[in-house]
Amino acid sequence: MRPINGDDVNKAVAECLTALRPAVERDWTATGAGQVEWNCHVTAFHVAEALVSYAGQLAGRAEDSYVPFEITLDEGTDNAGLLHVIETAGALLAATVRTAPPGARAFHPYPFGSADREGFAAMGVTEILLHTHDIAEGLGLTFEPCADLAESVLAWLFPHVQPGPAPWPTLLWATGRGELPGRAPVTDWRWRNNLVIPAGRVTLTGVRPAAARDLSLGGDGGFDWIDGGPYQGTRDASGMLLKAYEAGVHRPEFGVFALVRAEDGRALGAMGFHGPPDEDGLVEIGYDLAEGARGQGYATEALRGLSAWALARDDVRILLAKIDLDNGASRAVVARAGFRQVGADDKLAAYELRR
């Protein structure tokens, strides 16, 4: 489980070409592609279209919709030429991912309206792997990509899916292409890019399972931290996120968010939920900041932004924060964000914000 980058796009393309080149003399237009409704030729062209589209979205920083362009094949392009188009399109996406700055995002509808550079790389890898499987199945070829690629795709785009005994069968099951012992068949699915929530001078950036694992093990999770970060609370929360993912109960929108300063892209701390809301719509929230970011209002801005996002949902009615009695600064943060104290014991004060 690790972050996905442009090299992974090229790696997936190489596996696609290795699997399909032995069948370039076959009639792909007359052969159905596995369980999809397209023939093998249309499916292969779809892969090329998707890769070019993702490169265009990210390069053009599309904000509200798809960039209005499409690609076409020259008349008479054979299967070998079509594979060359896939190879070229993959190289374009890989280069775009490598050169996009950290934090760059562009429009993609599923499920939160945008994706970052790693998300576009992961979507490209997913398109390549799954549709190579479809084409290979239609042509009677064997295809099984390296487990590392499938595992990374699952951790990056399918954080709501519990890991299975092996990554590739789990990815096929999660996308309605196979069975997995002990799990019901999947008939409807979507991948999930991470959620980002603007909040004044910071952006709350959803932490994926692969990043959470790195943070829990002492790494930076792919973020550029200010001095003193990440704080231990961030590492502990990331460990909790990872356990929820491995247990199959992680809901990404109620996970952990890194607080990334808009002006320079540096991570200041983390904020998030202790889990999804309960049956009464109550969800507990927590946060921390690296010492160098404290006392400057960042936590208050972030808490206001996350609270507004949460309370706008139908499944959230009450936000709860429990804070050490002697942590005056943190108690002041929740008060400025509109929370009111509703109780206390000998160690903690409880604060609530209701819809």
Side-chain angles (χ1 to χ4, degrees):
M1 184 192 303
R2 58 170 179 75
I4 286 182
N5 55 40
D7 292 340
D8 294 305
V9 177
N10 287 333
K11 186 175 181 179
V13 168
E15 297 205 5
C16 166
L17 301 182
T18 298
L20 300 183
R21 273 178 175 152
V24 292
E25 301 302 325
R26 303 266 298 276
D27 186 353
W28 290 12
T29 61
T31 305
Q35 301 176 38
V36 299
E37 297 180 353
W38 302 323
N39 63 45
C40 291
H41 185 276
V42 170
T43 304
F45 181 59
H46 169 76
V47 173
E49 285 184 307
L51 298 177
V52 171
S53 174
Y54 295 156
Q57 292 296 102
L58 185 57
R61 306 290 192 273
E63 294 185 358
D64 302 314
S65 62
Y66 290 110
V67 178
F69 76 101
E70 61 183 19
I71 66 169
T72 59
L73 295 176
D74 288 345
E75 186 175 349
T77 300
D78 59 11
N79 295 332
L82 180 51
L83 291 183
H84 193 189
V85 174
I86 291 176
E87 184 176 21
T88 303
L92 289 173
L93 177 57
T96 305
V97 169
R98 290 193 197 101
T99 56
R105 299 187 73 89
F107 172 80
H108 192 277
Y110 306 128
F112 302 119
S114 71
D116 58 15
R117 60 183 185 178
E118 293 85 0
F120 278 106
M123 289 189 290
V125 170
T126 305
E127 296 277 5
I128 296 163
L129 298 186
L130 293 180
H131 289 311
T132 299
H133 163 80
D134 297 332
I135 298 167
E137 186 176 60
L139 294 170
L141 303 172
T142 299
F143 176 68
E144 181 170 349
C146 68
D148 181 57
L149 279 178
E151 182 183 43
S152 294
V153 163
L154 285 167
W156 218 250
L157 289 182
F158 296 84
H160 54 295
V161 172
Q162 183 180 18
W168 179 234
T170 303
L171 181 59
L172 292 178
W173 168 81
T175 57
R177 288 170 166 83
E179 298 180 355
L180 211 58
R183 303 194 192 185
V186 172
T187 57
D188 186 34
W189 63 274
R190 291 287 190 196
W191 56 46
R192 299 176 70 86
N193 280 292
N194 67 332
L195 173 64
V196 295
I197 302 172
R201 293 171 294 161
V202 297
T203 298
L204 292 100
T205 302
V207 174
R208 298 172 169 100
R213 180 179 184 273
D214 185 57
L215 283 165
S216 69
L217 293 175
D220 60 16
F223 296 98
D224 179 18
W225 293 89
I226 65 168
D227 292 343
Y231 196 68
Q232 185 59 41
T234 297
R235 299 196 187 281
D236 294 342
S238 296
M240 293 171 59
L241 185 159
L242 187 62
K243 289 180 179 179
Y245 170 64
E246 292 172 343
V249 296
H250 176 49
R251 286 180 59 183
E253 63 271 39
F254 289 105
V256 178
F257 298 83
L259 307 185
V260 179
R261 189 161 54 195
E263 68 177 17
D264 59 5
R266 304 201 73 188
L268 310 177
M271 183 174 290
F273 304 96
H274 290 203
D278 64 16
E279 59 185 12
D280 296 320
L282 183 147
V283 60
E284 186 172 350
I285 198 167
Y287 54 89
D288 65 44
L289 286 179
E291 289 189 15
R294 296 174 187 173
Q296 302 174 57
Y298 291 121
T300 301
E301 292 180 27
L303 185 56
R304 286 172 177 161
L306 187 59
S307 299
W309 174 86
L311 292 174
R313 296 174 57 93
D314 293 335
D315 54 354
V316 177
R317 294 181 55 250
I318 306 168
L319 295 178
L320 172 67
K322 296 179 180 178
I323 302 172
D324 290 338
L325 287 175
D326 59 358
N327 191 341
S330 190
R331 295 178 68 178
V333 167
V334 293
R336 287 194 296 268
F339 286 68
R340 66 182 184 88
Q341 186 172 343
V342 294
D345 56 24
D346 59 343
K347 294 182 179 180
L348 299 172
Y351 290 80
E352 284 186 357
L353 180 63
R354 293 174 175 261
R355 189 191 306 168

